[in-house]
Structure formats: structure tokens, C-alpha cells
Amino acid sequence: MHLQDKPLNSKNYRPNVKQIENFNFNVDDITSFRIYYDEGKNKRTKFKNEIGYFAIQGGAEEFEKSKIKPIIKNIFSDLTKSKYESVDVFNNPLQRGENPKFIQIEVALKDKPYLIFIYLPLLKDQKYSGKIVLMEKEYQNLGYQFILNQNDYLNIVKEFPKILDLKLDNFYEEKP
């Protein structure tokens, strides 16, 4: 067991998992998920008890009931292009900048030693504007970070925000 003084920083550690060579993921292999949305600086929409942001999470059953599965299936389909600008090891949390407006998903896949994290900024003048960040996470703050150009993945840019149009009241976490 390895304990660290600062668990949110993996310092100079390198991932033990092999870097994925392609982005072929099967939506039926999702065992758990977490989706997070933040309206950014001008928060006004109420989601359960929170203003301007929400999180939903669960296992395969909640994934089906929430009606998110077809959206993620389309996102996974677009990812099969496996085209990225850069890949780097990360060992710190994603630095989003100040007051970002974004949506992200993290999924665990059956029989995979890593999680997949996909981050889409929703404003043009924020960090990662025009990009999509895909992370292969061995641990929360350790893995490989791929930077994708949104112009290469227009279906993701179109599909991801559809989650915001779903009726998810029964799925919001109390304290995201």
C-alpha cells in the first residue's frame, strides 16, 4: 500500500498501464459511469439542490435508465477515428482554468485496467477551447492524456451536449 502526503498529486509517477493504441470502446462494456456538468461563471440553472452544476453516476442499470447510453454510443463511434494532436503522461488533476463551462464523463469498462475520461469545454474562450481531452486513467491523477481537435470529432461536439436536454432529475447526486 502506497500512501502519499498529497493524494491529488501523483508527483513524478508514470503509469503502469500500456498506453491505448486506439479509441475503440464498447458501450456495452461500461460497468460504471460519472457525468459532470458545470455551467461556468454565470450559473443560473437549478439541478436538484445545486445551482449551475450537476453530477450523475451509477452502474450499468442507471446507465440504461438515464437514456444516456445512445449518446455515449455515438460518442464512442466517433472516437474510433483515433486521431489526436498529442499524448502525454499526466500526474495531476486536469487544469480547466477559471470558471470553465464544460461537460465530462468518466467510465469504467469491463476487464480494463483503466478508466476513460472525456472532457469537452463548452465555451470558445477557455482553456482547451476547440479541443477534447481524453484521458486513460490508471488512477484518478495518473495516466495518459490525449488532446483531440474538436473539428476532427464533430459528432462528439454535437452529441455530448444532448445530455443536458435529458430529464435527469431522478439521477442527480445530492452533493456533486
Side-chain angles (χ1 to χ4, degrees), residues 57-73:
Q57 65 184 16
E61 185 177 330
E62 290 84 6
F63 190 61
E64 288 283 342
K65 287 180 181 177
S66 67
K67 308 279 192 258
I68 291 171
K69 186 175 180 177
I71 294 170
I72 303 304
K73 185 174 184 174

Side-chain angles (χ1 to χ4, degrees), residues 156-173:
I156 292 175
V157 175
K158 182 183 81 176
E159 286 292 315
F160 224 145
K162 288 181 180 179
I163 292 170
L164 305 176
D165 297 330
L166 296 175
K167 183 103 170 101
L168 298 171
D169 298 5
N170 295 333
F171 299 96
Y172 295 137
E173 289 294 307

Side-chain angles (χ1 to χ4, degrees), residues 35-49:
I35 295 175
Y36 191 85
Y37 167 69
D38 192 319
E39 274 186 325
K41 187 176 182 178
N42 300 316
K43 295 174 176 26
R44 48 179 92 89
T45 309
K46 186 169 184 178
F47 301 103
K48 202 161 195 163
N49 300 323

